[in-house]
Amino acid sequence: MAKLVLAGKANCPYYAKAELLADYLQANLPDFRVHKITQHPDKWEQWLQDICELNGWEHRQSPIIWRELLDRGGKGLLLGGVNDFLEYAQYYAITSMTLSEEMLDIAEESLQAHIDIEKEEEECKGLIKPLQVWITSASSPICYQLIPLLANGEVFGMTTEISIHLLDTDQFKEVLCSIVMEAEDMVFPLLRSISEHTETDEAFTQADIVIILDDVLLNPEVQSVENCIREVSEICEVYAPLIEKNAKREVRVISSGKTFVNLKAMMIMTCGPSIKPENVIAVATSWESAAKAMLARKLNVSAAGVKDVVVWGNITGCNYIDLSHAKLYGYDCAIWGPASFPRPLLNMIYDSKWIHSEFLAAESSLSSRVNCCGGMLPAHAVATVLRYWYHDSPPGEIISMGVLTKGEFCIPKGLVFSMPARFQNGNWKVMAELEISETTQEVLGHLAHELIQEKLIALKEKKEMHPYGADKITTKNYLHQELETLSPGSL
């Protein structure tokens, strides 16, 4: 089977003559196929030069015609121009009787049709705007595991294309290039593009979503906690103004990683005052998932049946796993009910010693599992939160995440504190109606104290414009005002 490729300027009368003849051959010969390529007159010369250089041909006029053998492969066989094509058609005892006036009329119509088609294609491209997703510290294992989850359509929907931008320092450029190449080779249908970036000046350009994965080495033998906090603060002081400058107005920022997740979210809000606070969250889903899995193993049930475990406080610091609202579905016991029938989880666990010694203890196996995990669990956590943000969380289900406090549960205002929430209609809402015990309230006060200390250390060296309206302020007065704001008698 032969395929004839016919290319030319859209307004070329000789192309019109060859096109009519090619259409006739295709209609009357069973194994004859024609593929047409038209170019705007302004682009024709460059296109012709490029195609000839690619194939090693010599041709300078419109049209250009070549033959391809579909069953053999290899490069095309150049036939030439319109006269060569007419001679080729003589083999089939067919010739063209088109008059010159007809050729000119057809050429004019072809040019207009070409312009209309190009305009329609541009309009269609304009309607398909992929989500721009930026990931910082993109050489991390979390990012490597996250990319397939974002690109397979389960997070944003099977009709939403995305463009992923990987940001990291220049020393990780080769790693980023390897990730880009591997992602491209996976041929995700919804991944419009993926690119690596090592220059921060143009970071977060037109970003719809920013995922911050930066971590610092938290090792007291190497550097103090105060220095780690300052390092996190310096990173956010670079990112926040760039997000304000380059990202879209409704950009959504997600803080994840293994260290100072709450602090990163808080500093992004502080250093980027025009970024909407409700669009910045810290991910606590890793702790939720690990806790549910640990409880499921204890009860010998599926982890998917454990719901409404609440993570309070500093996600990657001092937190509290609250089981008082947790429910259990699909548990095999004396009382039977439908699949939607829940049981209070604490009523099913009779080993209170296990809860306090192994599950809730500061050095519990739960905390070890979360801190020692690779990239799969935190990547799944980020993808889950994004899916809920765009498509709502399950009705009635509690989702823990770090958000800016407004006095809920008597927690001081102005902290990024992990609390129970739910996603609906593209927004989130703290479940402030949830009842908590006096013991839990006391624990929340202690957790807030740690976050206050982190915030004060992060802002200790900050002397620029601040929320109180003065251009400059001494460190002592600044910290005093922060304390007055953050701890109004609630601790």
Side-chain angles (χ1 to χ4, degrees):
M1 180 182 290
K3 181 179 78 170
L4 202 70
V5 181
L6 175 63
K9 288 191 293 186
N11 65 342
C12 175
Y14 299 105
Y15 173 81
K17 186 181 185 75
E19 181 184 21
L20 290 175
L21 179 57
D23 288 342
Y24 183 84
L25 290 172
Q26 181 171 252
N28 291 276
L29 299 175
D31 294 330
F32 193 92
R33 298 292 180 267
V34 178
H35 177 66
K36 304 172 190 176
I37 302 173
T38 59
Q39 293 292 327
H40 193 279
D42 296 338
K43 300 178 181 178
W44 166 253
E45 294 296 337
Q46 185 60 51
W47 184 90
L48 179 61
Q49 181 180 341
D50 293 342
I51 198 69
C52 288
E53 287 181 0
L54 179 65
N55 293 279
W57 295 335
E58 288 289 338
H59 193 83
R60 295 291 179 268
Q61 298 175 355
S62 173
I64 179 173
I65 305 165
W66 68 90
R67 186 169 179 259
E68 293 180 351
L69 300 177
L70 299 183
D71 57 345
R72 296 185 188 178
K75 71 176 185 178
L77 175 65
L78 178 66
L79 294 182
V82 64
N83 292 331
D84 300 294
F85 183 45
L86 291 173
E87 184 177 345
Y88 172 82
Q90 289 291 334
Y91 174 80
Y92 300 101
I94 298 172
T95 188
S96 173
M97 303 299 293
T98 309
L99 301 176
S100 299
E101 292 183 0
E102 292 177 325
M103 291 164 51
L104 291 172
D105 291 340
I106 295 172
E108 185 177 348
E109 293 176 1
S110 297
L111 176 59
Q112 187 58 48
H114 179 82
I115 293 172
D116 293 341
I117 291 172
E118 282 190 334
K119 184 178 179 180
E120 184 178 351
E121 288 177 351
E122 287 298 321
E123 289 177 352
C124 290
K125 289 180 180 179
L127 295 174
I128 304 174
K129 296 181 179 179
L131 280 175
Q132 304 294 326
V133 182
W134 283 78
I135 306 175
T136 71
S137 193
S139 62
S140 68
I142 301 176
C143 177
Y144 186 80
Q145 299 286 346
L146 179 60
I147 289 172
L149 300 178
L150 298 178
N152 65 12
E154 294 183 7
V155 174
F156 303 109
M158 299 305 296
T159 59
T160 302
E161 293 187 347
I162 64 171
S163 290
I164 298 177
H165 306 268
L166 308 179
L167 178 66
D168 214 319
T169 57
D170 192 59
Q171 69 182 101
F172 295 107
K173 185 174 179 62
E174 290 188 9
V175 176
L176 298 185
C177 291
S178 299
I179 295 174
V180 168
M181 180 180 66
E182 193 169 350
E184 289 175 341
D185 291 346
M186 293 181 75
V187 197
F188 293 107
L190 297 174
L191 182 60
R192 172 75 70 86
S193 64
I194 181 169
S195 56
E196 75 280 354
H197 304 267
T198 56
E199 298 293 333
T200 57
D201 292 343
E202 297 182 359
F204 314 120
T205 301
Q206 292 299 301
D208 293 287
I209 299 163
V210 174
I211 302 171
I212 299 177
L213 302 180
D214 297 74
D215 278 322
V216 298
L217 179 63
L218 191 57
N219 187 346
E221 297 179 1
V222 177
Q223 63 175 335
S224 65
V225 175
E226 288 78 7
N227 287 335
C228 291
I229 292 174
R230 292 189 184 99
E231 186 177 339
V232 171
S233 178
E234 290 171 1
I235 293 171
C236 295
E237 286 176 359
V238 173
Y239 287 163
L242 289 170
I243 294 173
E244 285 186 302
K245 176 184 175 184
N246 298 334
K248 294 180 181 176
R249 186 170 177 270
E250 297 294 329
V251 62
R252 298 178 178 183
V253 182
I254 290 182
S255 172
S256 185
K258 295 184 178 181
T259 58
F260 300 106
V261 171
N262 295 55
L263 182 64
K264 286 184 289 188
M266 189 274 295
M267 290 305 297
I268 289 293
M269 300 179 201
T270 304
C271 301
S274 68
I275 301 172
K276 294 184 176 181
E278 61 269 23
N279 284 0
V280 182
I281 64 174
V283 177
T285 314
S286 295
W287 281 86
E288 265 191 24
S289 300
K292 290 174 181 178
M294 193 171 177
L295 292 164
R297 284 192 296 272
K298 177 68 175 176
L299 294 168
N300 195 27
V301 297
S302 169
V306 182
K307 306 290 185 183
D308 298 347
V309 173
V310 182
V311 180
W312 296 94
N314 193 352
I315 297 166
T316 50
C318 290
N319 59 43
Y320 171 54
I321 310 298
D322 184 4
L323 303 181
S324 61
H325 304 280
K327 300 180 183 65
L328 193 62
Y329 292 83
Y331 185 63
D332 188 12
C333 65
I335 301 175
W336 285 22
S340 59
F341 176 69
R343 296 172 176 83
L345 184 139
L346 287 177
N347 291 353
M348 303 295 109
I349 298 181
Y350 305 104
D351 191 352
S352 60
K353 183 178 179 181
W354 175 86
I355 294 177
H356 291 92
S357 62
E358 293 188 39
F359 185 75
L360 295 180
E363 299 299 329
S364 67
S365 57
L366 173 62
S367 110
S368 300
R369 292 179 69 87
V370 175
N371 293 329
C372 296
C373 68
M376 192 182 301
L377 177 60
H380 178 265
V382 172
T384 299
V385 168
L386 277 172
R387 184 173 74 251
Y388 290 165
W389 209 343
Y390 278 83
H391 301 289
D392 297 349
S393 55
E397 190 170 323
I398 296 174
I399 308 298
S400 302
M401 60 183 186
V403 297
L404 189 66
T405 57
K406 298 180 180 179
E408 302 93 338
F409 305 105
C410 297
I411 302 168
K413 296 180 181 179
L415 297 175
V416 172
F417 198 95
S418 182
M419 297 184 288
R422 63 164 59 100
F423 289 95
Q424 190 172 10
N425 299 326
N427 301 304
W428 55 263
K429 181 182 178 182
V430 174
M431 299 175 67
E433 71 279 5
L434 209 65
E435 295 183 1
I436 60 175
S437 66
E438 293 183 3
T439 303
T440 300
Q441 185 66 68
E442 184 178 351
V443 172
L444 300 188
H446 292 296
L447 297 177
H449 180 72
E450 182 192 46
L451 288 170
I452 290 172
Q453 297 307 311
E454 278 191 6
K455 182 172 182 179
L456 294 178
I457 293 171
L459 298 175
K460 186 175 181 180
E461 305 299 328
K462 196 172 180 61
K463 298 180 181 180
E464 302 94 4
M465 178 72 73
H466 57 87
Y468 304 103
D471 292 332
K472 290 188 177 181
I473 188 168
T474 64
T475 300
K476 181 178 179 181
N477 290 338
Y478 187 64
L479 295 179
H480 178 70
Q481 290 176 331
E482 280 290 325
L483 282 169
E484 286 184 343
T485 303
L486 292 174
S487 52
S490 61
L491 295 184

